[in-house]
Amino acid sequence: MTTSDYDDIPAQYASPPCFMHELDPAFRAPATMPAEVRRWRKAERERLIQARLALSADTRAAMAARIAEGLDAVIGDVAGKMVSLYWPFRGEPDMRPWMASVNARGGRTALPLVVEKGHPLVFRAWKAGEPLEKGVWNIPIPSQGDPVLPDIVISPIVGIDPDNYRLGYGGGFYDRTLAAMPRKPLVIGIGYDLQRIPTIYPQQYDIPMDRFVSEAFRA
């Protein structure tokens, strides 16, 4: 399945993981983004997604374990903190074991979800064992709970440049959400080192990550 394969999927409640709702087929990039940049981003997304899918499951699991160590080094004590993560999709690092460890160490975890097209994401508290329902593309989302405000947002990336600008899935929900939050969380992009690229050709509405953690992270 390629990115273009999602064009016929109806927009409704979307997946929290990896901001896949950014593939909303009704979305159109702002007119201020040059057409050549839009085409480049689309092609680069698919190239990078295919590169991570080419990694074996064992390799991705080992990389995810090293990413978890990097997150602990960056965040420190998670007790009392609300951490938003995601459900892994299309070769993204599977951080569910680390999510469980956050709860075991006194932190809380959440998943983001779309409630309305063109609006910021809502974060809903969730931990292993609590009820889930299927969102778009059958990826689980929390089925109940009040909105929460994360202290830390962990976001998988499709690509990332040296200034920590994230190449996502193209819908702009991520940037819209950060701009609307009443207080800024610590925003950490995570991915594999192979996803580093020279630039994403950032636009004026793009918001960079505070940090990026890959399997090659060194504190």
Side-chain angles (χ1 to χ4, degrees):
M1 179 176 283
T2 67
T3 303
S4 61
D5 292 328
Y6 297 107
D7 291 345
D8 295 327
I9 299 176
Q12 46 185 305
Y13 279 90
S15 152
C18 71
F19 298 98
M20 282 301 296
H21 45 271
E22 293 182 9
L23 292 175
D24 181 354
F27 172 80
R28 294 295 180 268
T32 54
M33 184 188 292
E36 61 269 22
V37 172
R38 293 197 299 270
R39 289 192 294 268
W40 178 88
R41 285 189 175 190
K42 181 178 181 180
E44 193 68 352
R45 284 184 194 107
E46 191 57 32
R47 181 186 73 81
L48 292 165
I49 289 170
Q50 292 305 316
R52 73 187 183 200
L53 285 171
L55 299 170
S56 71
D58 287 346
T59 296
R60 289 199 299 266
M63 288 177 166
R66 292 196 291 272
I67 290 169
E69 294 172 359
L71 287 174
D72 285 335
V74 170
I75 297 170
D77 187 5
V78 296
K81 293 183 172 69
M82 174 64 76
V83 183
S84 172
L85 288 106
Y86 62 93
W87 205 272
F89 189 77
R90 297 198 77 189
E92 293 167 339
D94 185 351
M95 304 311 297
R96 287 175 292 181
W98 186 78
M99 181 187 294
S101 83
V102 169
N103 286 284
R105 290 178 285 163
R108 300 179 65 202
T109 52
L111 296 173
L113 62 150
V114 171
V115 294
E116 188 175 349
K117 184 174 59 182
H119 287 251
L121 300 168
V122 168
F123 298 93
R124 192 174 284 174
W126 183 84
K127 64 181 179 180
E130 294 181 343
L132 292 163
E133 62 186 20
K134 291 181 179 180
V136 169
W137 306 296
N138 293 324
I139 303 174
I141 61 174
S143 59
Q144 61 189 32
D146 294 326
V148 298
L149 187 62
D151 301 298
I152 301 163
V153 172
I154 309 293
S155 173
I157 55 94
V158 176
I160 194 151
D161 74 10
D163 295 317
N164 287 342
Y165 281 99
R166 168 187 179 268
L167 179 65
Y169 291 91
F173 280 92
Y174 164 79
D175 297 300
R176 184 182 299 116
T177 299
L178 290 183
M181 293 179 76
R183 59 178 172 81
K184 184 183 179 303
L186 173 64
V187 184
I188 304 174
I190 65 172
Y192 311 121
D193 222 43
L194 61 82
Q195 294 170 276
R196 293 185 184 272
I197 53 179
T199 183
I200 72 159
Y201 298 102
Q203 308 299 301
Q204 61 183 4
Y205 44 80
D206 289 319
I207 298 176
M209 311 279 98
D210 293 315
R211 302 291 297 271
F212 174 62
V213 175
S214 76
E215 78 282 1
F217 176 82
R218 297 292 182 272

